[in-house]
Amino acid sequence: MKMSQEKLGDELGVTFQQVQKYERGANRVGASRLYRLSRVLEVPVQFFFEGLSDQAPLAAMADNDQTPIVYDFIQSSDGVSLAESFSRIKDAKVRRRVLELVRTLANEQELAH
């Protein structure tokens, strides 16, 4: 749309760094912000959903929300700590083994309930 992140941020009342976080998906865009964004860019809100299937997987959504469950986890202190620690593991084989361990523990937890 030939608008800089800085100008877009000014129009939305946020910093350009916040715009970058929205763009990368690091921060969730709430409904009111999405509406404001549609006004600033002069597009209908539906513009942001073009190309999405009506058959979008619901399993990736939190139970009480339409927010992907991963966002809730990543924004938690445990999620941040785990992500930071995991990203420091350089050996791909070790990362896979950690992932396998977590999956095994989660499966055992499900079986226990």
Side-chain angles (χ1 to χ4, degrees):
M1 304 248 163
K2 298 186 180 188
M3 182 182 292
S4 71
Q5 290 176 335
E6 188 171 1
K7 177 155 176 47
L8 181 57
D10 288 343
E11 294 287 331
L12 294 174
V14 299
T15 65
F16 80 92
Q17 291 97 336
Q18 184 67 35
V19 172
Q20 289 174 332
K21 289 178 181 180
Y22 291 149
E23 188 175 47
R24 286 193 324 265
N27 283 4
R28 186 174 153 259
V29 179
S32 61
R33 178 91 59 214
L34 188 63
Y35 176 77
R36 177 80 179 126
L37 185 58
S38 74
R39 297 281 138 238
V40 168
L41 296 177
E42 299 177 354
V43 297
V45 172
Q46 295 85 347
F47 170 84
F48 302 108
F49 300 95
E50 287 177 5
L52 291 181
S53 167
D54 287 340
Q55 304 299 317
L58 296 178
M61 300 294 177
D63 289 339
N64 61 350
D65 196 328
Q66 291 300 306
T67 306
I69 198 165
V70 71
Y71 291 162
D72 294 339
F73 174 70
I74 291 297
Q75 291 178 355
S76 72
S77 60
D78 286 342
V80 170
S81 180
L82 182 61
E84 287 174 345
S85 299
F86 188 82
S87 67
R88 289 196 311 263
I89 300 171
K90 301 302 178 203
D91 187 325
K93 289 180 183 177
V94 172
R95 284 194 309 266
R96 275 192 295 275
R97 289 175 62 201
V98 169
L99 180 57
E100 288 172 17
L101 172 64
V102 172
R103 284 181 178 154
T104 299
L105 292 170
N107 289 338
E108 288 177 4
Q109 183 74 24
E110 286 179 2
L111 292 174
H113 288 99

